[in-house]
Amino acid sequence: MIKRIVSVLAMTVLISLPAACEDEAATKIVFIAGAKSHGSGDHEFRAGCMLLAKALNEQSGLPVKAEVVGPDWGKDKSVMDGVDGVVVYCDASSAIKDDMEFLDGLAKKGVGLMFMHYAVHPTKEVGEKYYRPWMGAAMENDFSVNPHWLSELEVMPGHPISRGVPEKFESFDEFYYNMRFIEDRAKVLDLVTAIPTRERMRRYINMWDWHGAEGLDTPQSLMWGFEREDGGRGVGFTGGHYHRNWALDGFRTVVLNAIVWSAGMEVPEGGVKSEKVSEDQLNENLDDYGDQMKRVKLPDLEEIRKMPPARIDEKREQRP
């Protein structure tokens, strides 16, 4: 009889655990991760989203529930029920191209929207109709540029995203710049800026042109924020090409802060907590490239500093 009572009690505890753990007051954040893309260690959308979601769920100590979905999420939109913030990390608009009106409806309800790296780059028409109203700016062909450079990032002082983040820190990434902003530029917050210089450039690639050259030596917004009239918030972040950068504490923390802020939460005084990322953790959940897979190493900024500046192609920088 005693054994039966104990057994029933144990079953009751097990059955009730999910309900006890489910905090209805928790802020719900959904990461939309794109399909595999450039190659091993680059554009690791799924692995990056899972790393950030784990930090939010298990390390931040915040009342938050983060979930990662793939590019086919639109087949079952119930995943967005009760959502407070959406983070899009994919190639261009590939993971949301069929669901713009749905996301626009979420935005008009005050849901936060954050776009990372290539996801800030829609078509010109989509940028004008959706992205700029959602987050205040977007990348645009024949205007924005995408060099790989060693940036000295400076966070906006006094803003919640700066909490727990060094005032300045370095990162090597494909940081796009020269975004197309809304007409009322003053409404868009320059959350993270950096000044591109010739000395800091390591690669000029496909989109580089005279716009990029004329933007040198002037502050550029690499992460921006926008508080919409619907009450929601939008954030764009141009970094995130190299998966290894999630191991940089300042880089990871400012992004986690921005995710939390965009979802309408209060960023803790010391910033969103997360554990240091090891090399083994960087190599979890990577896209499968078979024999072409490479082990992701921890970032070595000293090695990047020793690299010579990229060679200038004057022809590409000529005004038309």
Side-chain angles (χ1 to χ4, degrees):
M1 181 66 177
I2 293 175
K3 289 183 178 180
R4 183 182 177 187
I5 292 173
V6 170
S7 176
V8 171
L9 286 172
M11 288 178 64
T12 302
V13 170
L14 287 172
I15 292 171
S16 64
L17 268 176
C21 293
E22 189 74 27
D23 184 0
E24 294 182 359
T27 296
K28 181 177 179 179
I29 297 172
V30 175
F31 289 80
I32 299 176
K36 68 179 184 179
S37 174
H38 278 35
S40 189
D42 300 343
H43 287 207
E44 293 283 357
F45 303 127
R46 177 173 172 270
C49 286
M50 294 184 75
L51 185 152
L52 295 171
K54 182 177 181 179
L56 289 170
N57 287 332
E58 302 178 16
Q59 302 162 16
S60 72
L62 297 174
V64 62
K65 178 184 177 182
E67 183 175 350
V68 179
V69 297
D72 60 349
W73 68 275
K75 295 178 180 178
D76 182 6
K77 294 181 174 61
S78 64
V79 70
M80 295 296 179
D81 290 350
V83 72
D84 298 289
V86 177
V87 181
V88 184
Y89 193 23
C90 65
D91 283 342
S93 303
S94 59
I96 61 171
K97 58 184 172 60
D98 298 323
D99 301 292
M100 295 292 180
E101 284 298 318
F102 177 79
L103 289 175
D104 195 48
L106 292 182
K108 289 174 179 174
K109 294 177 182 178
V111 173
L113 297 177
M114 180 168 173
F115 294 77
M116 300 200 300
H117 196 50
Y118 199 172
V120 306
H121 189 181
T123 63
K124 185 174 182 178
E125 294 75 17
V126 169
E128 183 176 354
K129 184 176 181 179
Y130 296 109
Y131 279 50
R132 290 204 292 278
W134 287 345
M135 59 173 171
M139 195 170 184
E140 186 175 297
N141 286 342
D142 302 317
F143 184 73
S144 307
V145 293
N146 61 338
H148 293 231
W149 50 300
L150 178 62
S151 306
E152 184 178 52
L153 305 171
E154 184 171 356
V155 296
M156 183 177 182
H159 192 278
I161 66 100
S162 69
R163 295 172 184 168
V165 180
E167 183 180 349
K168 292 183 179 181
F169 62 95
E170 285 187 312
S171 174
F172 174 65
D173 209 326
E174 183 187 9
F175 283 115
Y176 313 143
Y177 68 83
N178 204 41
M179 298 295 105
R180 179 73 75 182
F181 288 85
I182 58 174
E183 186 174 345
D184 193 349
R185 176 66 175 84
K187 289 185 176 181
V188 185
L189 304 172
D190 295 309
L191 299 179
V192 177
T193 58
I195 300 175
T197 65
R198 291 292 188 189
E199 292 72 25
R200 288 184 170 274
M201 290 295 158
R202 295 298 179 266
R203 291 179 64 198
Y204 302 110
I205 57 175
N206 62 310
M207 296 181 71
W208 185 257
D209 61 10
W210 64 272
H211 293 99
E214 292 194 355
L216 293 169
D217 302 312
T218 59
Q220 299 289 340
S221 188
L222 305 186
M223 177 190 283
W224 60 90
F226 184 50
E227 300 200 55
R228 305 189 302 266
E229 291 183 1
D230 53 48
R233 294 167 174 169
V235 171
F237 177 56
T238 73
H241 177 89
Y242 295 114
H243 183 64
R244 60 177 178 256
N245 282 334
W246 299 120
L248 295 172
D249 292 342
F251 187 99
R252 185 179 65 259
T253 301
V254 79
V255 169
L256 287 170
N257 286 354
I259 291 171
V260 164
W261 181 81
S262 68
M265 299 183 71
E266 180 67 21
V267 179
E269 282 303 316
V272 177
K273 295 179 181 178
S274 66
E275 297 174 0
K276 284 190 174 294
V277 176
S278 68
E279 187 172 299
D280 285 342
Q281 289 169 327
L282 277 180
N283 285 273
E284 294 174 353
N285 306 307
L286 298 180
D287 291 327
D288 187 359
Y289 286 93
D291 294 340
Q292 301 301 312
M293 287 191 72
K294 301 176 182 178
R295 183 167 178 81
V296 178
K297 302 291 187 181
L298 291 172
D300 186 345
L301 295 181
E302 189 57 38
E303 180 181 347
I304 301 299
R305 292 188 192 100
K306 293 176 181 178
M307 293 173 60
R311 182 180 177 183
I312 301 171
D313 185 344
E314 294 183 359
K315 185 177 181 180
R316 295 176 67 183
E317 296 183 5
Q318 291 179 356
R319 267 181 173 266

